[in-house]
Amino acid sequence: MQRRDRQLGLLYALPIGVFLAVAFLAPILLVAAFSTMPPKVFSIWNMPDFSAYYTVITQGYWKTVAWSLGMSMAATLILFVVCWPLAYGMAKVFGRFSLVLTIGVVMTLFVSENIRLFGWVLTLMKGGLVEGYIRAWTGTGFDGLLYNVPVIVFGLCYVYLPFMLFPLAQGIAMVPEDARAAAFDLGATRWQIFREIELPLAMPGILVGSLLTFVLAAGALAETKLLGGQAVIVIAEEVETAFTYGQNWPLGAALAMVLIVIVGGIAIWGIGRADLDRMMGRR
Amino acid sequence: MRTSRLMGWLLVAYGCAVLAFLYLPLVSVGLASISKARYLTFPIRRYAYDWYGEALASDTVRDLLLVSLKVAGIVTVLSMVIGFLGALAFARYSWRFRKAYQKLILLPIFFPQTVLGLALLMWFNTVGIIPSWKTAVVAHLVWIAPIATLVISIRAYSFDPALEEAARDMGATTWDTLREVTIPLLMPGVISAGLFAFLLSWGNFPLSLFTTGADSTLPEWLYAKMVSGYSPLVPTVGILTVGTSAVLLALGLTAALIFKRARAARNA
Amino acid sequence: MGDQPILRINALTKRFNEFTALHGIDLNVRDGEFLAIVGPSGSGKTTLIRLLVGMDEPTEGAIWLRDSRIDAVPANKRPTCMVFQSLALFPHRSVGQNIEFPLKLRKVAPATRKARALELLELLRLPASYYDKRIDECSGGEKQRVALARALAFDPEILFFDEPLSALDYRLRKTLEKELKDLHRRTGKTFIYITHSLEEAMVMSDRIAIMKAGRFEQIAPAAEIYARPRSRFVAEFMGEVNLFDMVDGRVPGLRFGPRASNLFVGQTGTLVVRPESVALLAPGEEADVALEGIIESEYLLGSRVQYTVAREGAAPVTVEVLRENAVGGPGAPVVMGFGTSACHLIAPEARDAAA
């Protein structure tokens, strides 16, 4: 039985394993190779000179990296605070309503991110839903709410809310009801239960949710472009610009590598710590 | 320790507020799509459905629709197959590299999609493939096949291994077991994975952006139009795209409900 | 053991929508007593303990702890605590941290906390090295002791138990039952123990309260409940029993000798006889009450043998005898008898009475 399990496991893992090796790992290695090339070449059969990294360091790209990471960190923190009560409700209080909520939130994931962000543009712009109606009712309008840093963070929060909400709810559901009741019985207040019991026991969910949000937000592009206008430039946009307008693949690859190393490092660290079997409910 | 009734209602109200927040932008797009004016300003003075007629009659929109459908359809079928096998390896069998494999599956989901799209573009270029909608299928699959695997895994986790062992005990071959026990039991998971796959591919933009070559999907076209200035067709086509997803999702959920009811009725 | 009740329950009622889980029950618990509340699942014992520890509020009635009314006080403000069925040990904390938890909540200094935790480890016969052990490294019995230590660290006025031994294997359960009784004696605290196992209740408790459908059927020491059940339910709940319906001093199929005839004259009710009180009579041997039948089946119970004896036109009778008194297997006709001292008559009106 066990021998057969081992063979079947390997066999069934082959299709997706091979596919990801060819279409995911190989392209990343290629990016790594390209990032060492001299400027503006379109093939990896050149002498590596690592000049792209020199450009990345000297040309002030650290600023865009800092903006990306800073804004995604802000979005992660805000989302944690916003999602905790809701996740708590879904895991412990709602019952049937939590299914409604789940379906309602999942459905938004199926709508192209562009369309939803565009909807926010229509909502928040001068002459948009908010400003337009306020002007119509009160007679005085304002300049619209777009094209600044807070609105980009807002957009990140909006788009990545489900990625925080669901892991968090999963994490809270993993807190045994008895552990909370026992702490309560032993004299803990609500706040003490949160700090001593729920927070540490829901940590796997908190970790996955925060990582997912942070990592996805760090590589985000559309929020800045559609909502932020020219307020700031993020790393993903620099990568895109280097590839398209700049026609400088090595520079784009080097910038991409910076993002990949940061994001990949965090992701691998986080994924390595989570016990997937337990989180997903293996018997 | 009970959550008080008041607290419960406050939480429900909060949940409704979050849902409203999530759907508000779609309401704006919907309203914009039926505004008569060429340059949109709220409040909308005159409503008209002309833009829908124009969008449906347009050749561009039809081509976009065709490309999006082709990509999403193929992605759906492939991710169901790959995901089914992948999920068995993920959740059901104990084998040597399972833990490492589980982590490999998760990585593409965490990966920034824009960068992934660019990396694939370089890869196709290096191995000499000219990007078209077919390469977009590959790009989508890198992200969607792992998601399908996870969705089916959830079902596979709650699957009692003793059932397969019982089938084998009664003389079933590996193939018999797969056909008679494993596939039927995981079917609901496979179908929801298929639905996920279609919808995610249908709405995806960052992966398509660099990998479709001369072809273009609906979300790509929408993005191009959004960045290059307002067109009254943008909200209209946007709503049509959303509408398609909604109809498909409604069909999927109804089918699931009917299936469940029918099974409950049979068991009763 | 003081006479003043530490806990008084007065007309306690709990309703969930349509369903009434507790029907206005009363109970007095003496200070220092070990009281077991026993009942089948669905009898309301879990609802009762949730009200007693403060996880839930009663619909009507009052709970008094000494002189203060506590039924509206939430669990975290009550000076009582519970050992959960699941034990509810915190998996993310070490053994020591678990035990110190209630002290930490009270902002006791770390050094004092640790000293107390080590004392409790010793009291529960766990080595001091367990202080730093992780919960999932402990065996079932060790976890049980850690949970007890944690509850004792709280220093409760009353310690509640919600079937904490039910998940353990038989031998370990037996050991822990004795330890728990011993702990009760050494700490002098009031223990209220909920269980569905009568055996567990009989081994440990001073008094047993038997619950059925949201009411107490009988509250008394184990020996009294066994010998004088107040109702058919209690009689049957206390283990294998023979019940005969008596109308006006007569039971069909039973032959009463002079002593039994005099005793039961004119009486109506249910006659209770334990299987071990029934003897197999040798030919010519007499008994106060005699009956006959044919052995249907035979079970070996260690040093004893149990027979199910079929009777014509009446329910079968269960008889338990020492192995040396055994008389052949199924199919053998037998005459059985028992003395009036082994009988207990349940009056019909007593059936619905609550204690």
Side-chain angles (χ1 to χ4, degrees):
Chain A
M1 236 15 144
Q2 277 194 343
R3 212 171 84 91
R4 199 177 51 86
D5 265 22
R6 281 204 293 273
Q7 290 167 345
L8 282 180
L10 189 63
L11 183 71
Y12 291 156
L14 270 184
I16 192 164
V18 170
F19 176 72
L20 289 183
V22 173
F24 179 63
L25 296 180
I28 292 175
L29 290 178
L30 184 72
V31 172
F34 251 112
S35 71
T36 64
M37 291 293 116
K40 309 221 168 188
V41 297
F42 293 96
S43 120
I44 46 166
W45 311 118
N46 293 284
M47 204 48 201
D49 69 351
F50 294 91
S51 61
Y53 285 103
Y54 183 74
T55 314
V56 170
I57 293 161
T58 54
Q59 298 290 310
Y61 283 107
W62 62 269
K63 244 194 233 161
T64 63
V65 174
W67 271 117
S68 289
L69 299 185
M71 289 194 299
S72 47
M73 201 171 302
T76 308
L77 286 176
I78 294 170
L79 276 177
F80 175 72
V81 176
V82 167
C83 290
W84 180 273
L86 200 57
Y88 179 85
M90 288 173 72
K92 300 282 182 190
V93 187
F94 289 160
R96 271 192 109 80
F97 181 62
S98 93
L99 185 67
V100 175
L101 208 61
T102 306
I103 293 176
V105 175
V106 168
M107 279 196 325
T108 63
L109 284 178
F110 297 140
V111 179
S112 187
E113 181 181 317
N114 293 335
I115 298 173
R116 290 184 291 148
L117 289 171
F118 178 66
W120 277 117
V121 173
L122 296 181
T123 310
L124 300 175
M125 68 183 187
K126 186 169 173 60
L129 191 73
V130 172
E131 197 266 349
Y133 276 102
I134 286 179
R135 183 158 36 79
W137 289 332
T138 65
T140 48
F142 48 90
D143 244 5
L145 302 161
L146 292 173
Y147 315 127
N148 51 51
V149 173
V151 85
I152 299 175
V153 176
F154 171 87
L156 291 172
C157 289
Y158 174 76
V159 169
Y160 299 112
L161 184 133
F163 298 92
M164 179 64 94
L165 181 64
F166 293 126
L168 220 50
Q170 190 64 32
I172 296 174
M174 278 165 61
V175 180
E177 195 53 41
D178 269 0
R180 298 168 65 230
F184 187 55
D185 186 40
L186 290 169
T189 59
R190 282 258 166 199
W191 171 248
Q192 284 171 322
I193 293 173
F194 171 73
R195 217 188 43 206
E196 299 282 340
I197 309 296
E198 291 170 341
L199 210 56
L201 284 177
M203 205 34 101
I206 296 172
L207 204 68
V208 170
S210 304
L211 283 178
L212 209 52
T213 314
F214 180 80
V215 160
L216 291 174
L221 175 63
E223 291 79 7
T224 340
K225 276 202 145 175
L226 292 174
L227 299 180
Q230 297 297 315
V232 283
I233 294 169
V234 289
I235 180 76
E237 190 174 349
E238 294 283 16
V239 174
E240 191 204 350
T241 312
F243 271 101
T244 50
Y245 302 109
Q247 288 294 304
N248 191 346
W249 285 21
L251 177 62
L255 286 166
M257 280 314 287
V258 173
L259 187 57
I260 289 172
V261 166
I262 294 171
V263 160
I266 295 173
I268 288 171
W269 175 79
I271 294 171
R273 285 176 54 118
D275 184 349
L276 291 165
D277 286 337
R278 200 167 107 72
M279 281 210 74
M280 293 180 61
R282 175 170 238 227
R283 283 166 172 260
Chain B
M1 189 186 62
R2 284 264 160 96
T3 308
S4 71
R5 193 159 288 197
L6 175 72
M7 199 60 187
W9 281 115
L10 280 177
L11 279 176
V12 170
Y14 182 60
C16 292
V18 169
L19 276 185
F21 165 74
L22 288 178
Y23 284 91
L24 178 66
L26 291 181
V27 172
S28 295
V29 178
L31 287 173
S33 75
I34 50 170
S35 161
K36 195 167 172 56
R38 181 159 284 275
Y39 291 98
L40 175 80
T41 48
F42 284 92
I44 294 166
R45 313 245 171 250
R46 293 169 66 202
Y47 295 95
Y49 297 93
D50 308 352
W51 301 119
Y52 281 92
E54 200 163 312
L56 290 173
S58 139
D59 284 346
T60 322
V61 173
R62 221 189 32 235
D63 288 347
L64 293 167
L65 205 69
L66 212 64
V67 172
S68 282
L69 270 179
K70 264 193 298 200
V71 173
I74 296 173
V75 166
T76 304
V77 174
L78 288 178
S79 9
M80 280 162 91
V81 175
I82 298 175
F84 170 74
L85 298 174
L88 286 178
F90 192 102
R92 167 65 186 87
Y93 297 109
S94 301
W95 51 292
R96 196 148 157 225
F97 303 109
R98 193 168 72 100
K99 291 273 171 204
Y101 162 78
Q102 286 181 331
K103 277 147 205 180
L104 170 74
I105 297 290
L106 280 187
L107 266 184
I109 303 176
F110 278 83
F111 208 78
Q113 292 185 27
T114 321
V115 175
L116 184 59
L118 280 168
L120 279 165
L121 175 66
M122 290 162 76
W123 176 243
F124 293 139
N125 186 285
T126 303
V127 294
I129 298 171
I130 297 163
S132 70
W133 64 268
K134 289 172 203 151
T135 48
V137 169
V138 174
H140 283 199
L141 271 178
V142 173
W143 185 56
I144 292 173
I147 293 179
T149 306
L150 286 186
V151 171
I152 303 171
S153 293
I154 293 172
R155 179 101 193 152
Y157 272 118
S158 63
F159 170 88
D160 185 356
L163 297 176
E164 278 189 359
E165 282 162 13
R168 284 193 77 79
D169 189 37
M170 287 178 255
T173 63
T174 302
W175 169 242
D176 290 334
T177 315
L178 200 64
R179 200 188 50 205
E180 296 293 334
V181 180
T182 319
I183 293 180
L185 279 171
L186 292 189
M187 215 34 173
V190 175
I191 290 171
S192 38
L195 194 65
F196 263 74
F198 186 92
L199 293 167
L200 290 175
S201 168
W202 177 254
N204 186 278
F205 156 71
L207 289 170
S208 308
L209 181 60
F210 300 107
T211 53
T212 45
D215 298 323
S216 177
T217 63
L218 277 166
E220 266 182 273
W221 179 84
L222 286 170
Y223 180 77
K225 290 284 171 189
M226 285 171 203
V227 183
S228 67
Y230 188 78
S231 153
L233 273 181
V234 170
T236 313
V237 174
I239 286 297
L240 285 175
T241 329
V242 176
T244 313
S245 315
V247 167
L248 200 73
L249 198 65
L251 283 177
L253 287 175
T254 321
L257 203 71
I258 290 171
F259 184 71
K260 226 182 196 169
R261 287 264 164 82
R263 202 166 49 177
R266 225 181 314 139
N267 290 344
Chain C
M1 210 181 282
D3 281 341
Q4 205 243 337
I6 188 168
L7 186 77
R8 277 187 295 137
I9 298 169
N10 199 306
L12 203 63
T13 297
K14 178 69 183 176
R15 276 189 285 269
F16 299 103
N17 301 321
E18 314 289 276
F19 175 69
T20 306
L22 295 174
H23 299 267
I25 58 172
D26 297 303
L27 175 71
N28 282 345
V29 182
R30 290 191 285 267
D31 199 353
E33 183 177 23
F34 195 139
L35 175 78
I37 299 175
V38 192
S41 50
S43 59
K45 57 187 195 306
T46 303
T47 308
L48 177 61
I49 206 168
R50 285 181 63 87
L51 297 183
L52 293 181
V53 294
M55 302 280 172
D56 238 330
E57 281 186 38
T59 318
E60 282 155 32
I63 303 170
W64 297 80
L65 183 74
R66 296 220 159 86
D67 295 322
S68 49
R69 189 170 166 173
I70 57 163
D71 45 81
V73 179
N76 61 350
K77 301 279 190 320
R78 289 192 194 187
T80 59
C81 90
M82 171 157 89
V83 177
F84 286 66
Q85 181 165 23
S86 66
L87 304 181
L89 291 169
F90 306 132
H92 59 301
R93 299 273 189 260
S94 68
V95 166
Q97 285 171 326
N98 262 283
I99 299 174
E100 286 177 20
F101 185 80
L103 303 172
K104 190 179 168 197
L105 294 179
R106 285 178 210 158
K107 313 239 162 16
V108 174
T112 322
R113 265 170 15 205
K114 179 160 184 181
R116 179 73 184 131
L118 291 171
E119 264 174 49
L120 286 164
L121 282 175
E122 204 191 326
L123 179 71
L124 272 307
R125 304 205 174 92
L126 285 170
S129 59
Y130 271 56
Y131 184 83
D132 289 315
K133 216 166 179 151
R134 285 155 44 105
I135 290 296
D136 55 17
E137 291 168 346
C138 295
S139 71
E142 287 162 359
K143 282 184 189 155
Q144 202 77 43
R145 294 189 181 103
V146 176
L148 267 168
R150 186 177 70 179
L152 288 171
F154 180 82
D155 196 20
E157 292 252 14
I158 301 174
L159 190 47
F160 292 97
F161 296 85
D162 183 11
E163 307 204 30
L165 304 183
S166 58
L168 302 174
D169 66 60
Y170 183 80
R171 275 187 57 188
L172 188 54
R173 206 161 65 221
K174 287 285 140 204
T175 315
L176 286 167
E177 279 169 11
K178 292 204 185 86
E179 274 184 33
L180 210 56
K181 188 163 172 64
D182 186 45
L183 192 71
H184 173 248
R185 192 176 47 74
R186 279 189 291 161
T187 57
K189 287 201 181 296
T190 308
F191 282 19
I192 297 182
Y193 193 101
I194 282 208
T195 177
H196 65 269
S197 155
L198 192 71
E199 199 189 333
E200 217 169 272
M202 291 187 23
V203 172
M204 293 188 289
S205 58
D206 300 319
R207 281 198 303 161
I208 297 177
I210 295 195
M211 278 193 94
K212 180 200 173 191
R215 291 191 172 90
F216 285 123
E217 286 277 309
Q218 188 166 10
I219 306 175
E224 189 184 328
I225 291 190
Y226 191 75
R228 304 182 185 290
R230 286 269 297 267
S231 65
R232 276 184 92 104
F233 172 78
V234 174
E236 283 175 330
F237 195 74
M238 291 297 285
E240 203 77 60
V241 73
N242 296 304
L243 300 172
F244 304 97
D245 286 323
M246 181 183 289
V247 180
D248 200 18
R250 291 145 71 94
V251 180
L254 263 56
R255 290 196 309 273
F256 286 166
R259 197 152 20 141
S261 300
N262 287 338
L263 185 64
F264 296 129
V265 66
Q267 304 242 42
T268 296
T270 305
L271 193 64
V272 181
V273 186
R274 297 281 163 195
E276 65 270 24
S277 306
V278 183
L280 296 171
L281 300 182
E285 201 177 338
E286 295 286 325
D288 291 343
V289 182
L291 63 164
E292 50 214 23
I294 294 168
I295 294 178
E296 195 176 78
S297 52
E298 171 185 41
Y299 309 95
L300 295 180
L301 309 171
S303 62
R304 306 178 77 86
V305 183
Q306 193 185 78
Y307 295 109
T308 306
V309 181
R311 295 188 300 149
E312 228 177 280
V317 173
T318 308
V319 181
E320 212 178 288
V321 296
L322 286 172
R323 216 172 192 159
E324 57 259 36
N325 300 338
V327 287
V334 284
V335 181
M336 301 158 287
F338 50 87
T340 48
S341 58
C343 302
H344 170 67
L345 188 69
I346 302 171
E349 65 267 32
R351 279 191 201 173
D352 298 322

